[in-house]
Amino acid sequence: MRKGEETRNRILDVAEAAVLQKGFGGTSIEELIVETGITKSGFFYHFKDKNELAKALLNRYIENDERIYDEIFSRARDLMDDPLQSFLLGLKLLSELLADLPNGHPGCLVATVCYYERLFDREIQETNKNAVLAWRRRFGRMFREIMAVYTPREPVDVDQLADMVSSVLEGGIVLSKTLKEPNTLAEQVLMLRTFVRMLFLPAVESPLAAVRHDQLHGMAGSGQP
Amino acid sequence: MRKGEETRNRILDVAEAAVLQKGFGGTSIEELIVETGITKSGFFYHFKDKNELAKALLNRYIENDERIYDEIFSRARDLMDDPLQSFLLGLKLLSELLADLPNGHPGCLVATVCYYERLFDREIQETNKNAVLAWRRRFGRMFREIMAVYTPREPVDVDQLADMVSSVLEGGIVLSKTLKEPNTLAEQVLMLRTFVRMLFLPAVESPLAAVRHDQLHGMAGSGQP
DNA sequence: TCCCTCCTGTACCCGCGGTACAGTTTTCAG
DNA sequence: CTGAAAACTGTACCGCGGGTACAGGAGGGA
């Protein structure tokens, strides 16, 4: 019972790394069992086919992803009471986390599935769609809190603004992976941060705003020591 | 000679659509020859293996991609003399073009290759990397022209700003495809436009700026009739 | 006429996904 | 300690798809 879970997770670990590098079609079950140190029969004991492996992989990935966002933004919420400052800090923390990944971001399974859609069943595509919608709700909620306090400089749709966060992350991953420049993703997140800050913070004029600006600029610079 | 080129292009057309839907690993040569109405031998006459197909596919895709950007932004350049206004118009034209795609954006081959890297040779990965660098140079050049006239409200790195365009496009495609919402990609491009406008245009105060604001807002709404 | 391009047809190899099923070891509850 | 369920191993087999090898044929231009 306990042992089974552990083996299953080991398979998922190996499979996730392989799938993010080579896609689902490019990952053979053969190589998974070799690297996991299990037999073919053992593999099919845990997953009845590749589709079920994909399902488990995606669900685990999404859960983990959500957990990370929960942690980062709740930590930011604890440190800053203002919703805008808290969100900006969250983006800063996120960019630092991404910059600290030793080999860069390994890739997003949601994107992998997106570019593989036709080979999986409706359920997986639905799961994937829901993951993106969850991002939209998550960041949308944050932007609504911000907008309860701040008026955006330009009229923007909250959902579209929330999607912008997901876009920059997904796109930044693609750029970072393709260029093999781990920093690019972190920089893009900071660029997004600049966007959000500009959108909600008034033109730098008041002493308070000036202080805030220096403070944030200083933080942004401390990303890559 | 002429006939061979035509068949080759037909194969590439079929292959591109299939690969964007199912990835390289998920696309069988069998289905390509069936849909193209050619035999297996015929296929291997044109491409000695799948890697060479991928190479041809990617090169063709990138050329076409570059051509589209050339057209859009040179058209915008003809209509507007100011580099900023020209760039903003270009983004508007791009978002309209994307919104008019009947089934939404089919996907970007650069991203497909990025999520499939390990299965191709160095050359393809290099080509892919160069495509992203070309985007960086293209948009970087535009932003440099803009910065020769306008001072950004916040200090930004030109390359990172240029990458932001690529990020939002790549990320927007992933979101759009996953959600099966064709509009999402176009909206993200307009969101990026808002970012660029805010970054370079002074706070709305002058009558000119006010007019411009209304005008742009009206245009943004006309995207999906 | 001859050669070159552009294919078709046939036959075959192998790796991989997947099935089937019998047997073995490990784990843990009673 | 025992027994049953869980967690595997081993073996054998199927079909599909990528890829190779090669022989040959249609059509067109020099």
Side-chain angles (χ1 to χ4, degrees), chain A residues 191, chain B residues 143 147 157-165 195 199-200:
Chain A
M191 208 68 179
Chain B
F143 282 123
M147 286 184 183
D157 180 276
V158 183
D159 281 345
Q160 291 176 20
L161 190 56
D163 281 351
M164 188 78 170
V165 180
F195 175 38
L199 183 61
F200 291 107

Side-chain angles (χ1 to χ4, degrees), chain B residues 1 7 38-39 41-42 45-46:
Chain B
M1 284 175 171
T7 305
I38 207 179
T39 62
S41 313
Y45 170 76
H46 289 287

